[in-house]
Amino acid sequence: MTKELFILKLHEIGAVKFGEFTLKSGLKSPFYFDLRDMISYPELLTGIAGLLAEDIKNSDFDYVSGVPYTALPVATLISDITNKPLIYIRKEEKAYGTKNPVIGKFEKGKKVLIIDDLITTGESLIETAEKFKNEGLKVTDFSVIIDRSNNIAKKLEKQGYNIRSLIGLNEILKILKANGKISSGQISEIKNFVNNINKKEKKESNIENRLTKLLKEKIKTKKSNLVLSLDVDNRKDFFDILDKTAKHIVMLKTHIDILNDFNAEFISKLKKYAKKYDFLIFEDRKFADIGNTVRKQYSGGIYKIKDWAHFVTVHAVAGEGILRGLFNDVENRSSFLLAKMSSKGNLMNETYTRKVFEIGEKYAGIVSGYICHGNSKEELQKLKNKIPNGQLMLMPGVKLQTGTDATGQQYTTVEEAMQGGADCIIVGRGIIEAENPEATAKEYRKRAWKIYEKKVESS
Ligand code: S5P
């Protein structure tokens, strides 16, 4: 089978449609691709498997896999043609720990090539790759039938993947036009639609965030990456420690609801300190409810967080509506999303973390970065590579020595955190429980800045 015949046949069976279709996002699209029915046409299925097998014949891999369901029968045929064993990831979520997510026999350390029918965002391919990697396999190559994405290859490359695609949208349009299946008018409508989507995406991810800029500048002018987490329960201790440490920090992180003796004066005093010592204020509220509730929690109650905290933390578990609830009609405020927590056994897996970055990128105007913890610089670097351009990585669970506390808080050293790419380290007990908080804050600041400064110089 030739590519041309394949496309014409897809058109004939209705797998490639033109008209008006409402997408998941609510957008109206002038075209729609759905290759699911292809598997019921033996000639199409074997034809496409042959074309793909030819396309990947110089790729280096030990196993072939397909993303269920549509690509799985295709991968089965390719396994037969290439004589490479088939393995795949079960589609249902594993209900309990003992079930292996990989179906089929494999040896750790070997390479899997993953096949899919369509690629738009790359999400399911990356998700599948991550699951294989968690089982000790290697994945560097993807192969897809139709690429209808917006330059996905570049995004995937950044994450360490190569992608080969058999046919792109333009080629499909060309073939169908040459065979009288669509008109020039339809083609320009489709191209228009695709271009506008691209523009919209670009605009959303490049939104200027004044507070992100401010924090970046302050790191440089104050020569400090230190965020102090002042988790004490009374005003006296709070300001005693702040007196000694304020000159060394770029930002102060509070848990305002820990204080026993909170009052309105506390806030005005805190603001004065922030001005005098030139640091930003970050309330670690970890909002996690529906938009309507968090809006009230943010601006109301006794703390009125919105009035004094430049930044707050937000759990994206509630979906992106939480950000709209918090920041609609609010100016000069921003947030950090929890992407990978420092507590042992936390439920944030790679897929969750990746989705947090996606939401954060989309809302870059009100998301300045992410809270990410890694147990080593390598772990952290992997996270850093996935963080959208321009946004920051803040790392909690940092001490001068590694270790854990009684409830599973994990500590990594300042050096590992900074070499792993953290823009700021968040330190609580390492400083506030030290015999000499002043000297200790100075030490954390010095150690972190030394690494950061070198990185900035060499970039
Ligand atoms: O994953 C996280 C996220 C945060 S914001 N792990 C954390 O420890 N934090 C916060 O960082 C935590 O709530 C605390 O305020 C601080 C770490 O405190 P430390 O005393 O363990 O350094």
Side-chain angles (χ1 to χ4, degrees), residues 303-325:
Y303 301 120
K304 305 189 178 18
I305 297 166
K306 190 181 82 177
D307 295 347
W308 51 270
H310 299 102
F311 299 95
V312 290
T313 34
V314 178
H315 276 298
V317 68
E320 59 186 66
I322 192 169
L323 289 168
R324 290 201 295 269

Side-chain angles (χ1 to χ4, degrees), residues 229 231 253 255 284 286 341-342 371 396 409 411 428-429:
S229 187
D231 303 338
K253 188 172 82 62
H255 277 295
D284 189 5
K286 297 193 179 72
M341 289 192 73
S342 60
I371 306 289
Q409 168 74 314
Y411 291 109
R429 283 164 287 177

Side-chain angles (χ1 to χ4, degrees), residues 186-336:
Q186 274 174 306
I187 292 191
S188 50
E189 195 189 345
I190 290 164
K191 291 199 167 159
N192 232 337
F193 172 79
V194 173
N195 277 338
N196 282 334
I197 280 197
N198 293 355
K199 267 193 214 131
K200 206 167 146 240
E201 279 173 3
K202 269 215 182 84
K203 210 166 118 230
E204 267 171 349
S205 59
N206 283 343
I207 308 163
E208 167 88 342
N209 183 323
R210 208 186 66 84
L211 280 160
T212 313
K213 231 171 114 188
L214 189 64
L215 177 55
K216 283 184 189 170
E217 280 165 12
K218 221 173 269 300
I219 291 173
K220 288 196 184 127
T221 53
K222 218 173 163 186
K223 295 191 177 4
S224 172
N225 314 82
L226 180 59
V227 177
L228 175 67
S229 187
L230 230 179
D231 303 338
V232 293
D233 63 9
N234 66 85
R235 284 178 295 175
K236 179 174 182 310
D237 286 354
F238 189 97
F239 288 110
D240 278 355
I241 297 174
L242 196 55
D243 273 327
K244 295 177 187 141
T245 53
K247 59 176 175 291
H248 295 302
I249 65 175
V250 67
M251 185 150 70
L252 179 72
K253 188 172 82 62
T254 54
H255 277 295
I256 201 69
D257 52 356
I258 290 180
L259 285 173
N260 296 322
D261 50 4
F262 173 84
N263 60 12
E265 279 141 56
F266 174 87
I267 294 300
S268 49
K269 193 167 171 187
L270 177 59
K271 281 184 178 167
K272 278 190 198 134
Y273 269 72
K275 201 159 175 206
K276 180 172 172 200
Y277 292 102
D278 193 27
F279 60 77
L280 296 169
I281 307 174
F282 170 19
E283 163 59 20
D284 189 5
R285 176 61 181 75
K286 297 193 179 72
F287 290 105
D289 215 315
I290 60 165
N292 186 53
T293 304
V294 292
R295 188 201 314 266
K296 293 178 186 167
Q297 291 172 321
Y298 186 34
S299 57
I302 54 172
Y303 301 120
K304 305 189 178 18
I305 297 166
K306 190 181 82 177
D307 295 347
W308 51 270
H310 299 102
F311 299 95
V312 290
T313 34
V314 178
H315 276 298
V317 68
E320 59 186 66
I322 192 169
L323 289 168
R324 290 201 295 269
L326 283 169
F327 296 107
N328 252 359
D329 307 323
V330 175
E331 282 190 356
N332 281 331
R333 294 289 178 251
S334 189
S335 64
F336 291 98

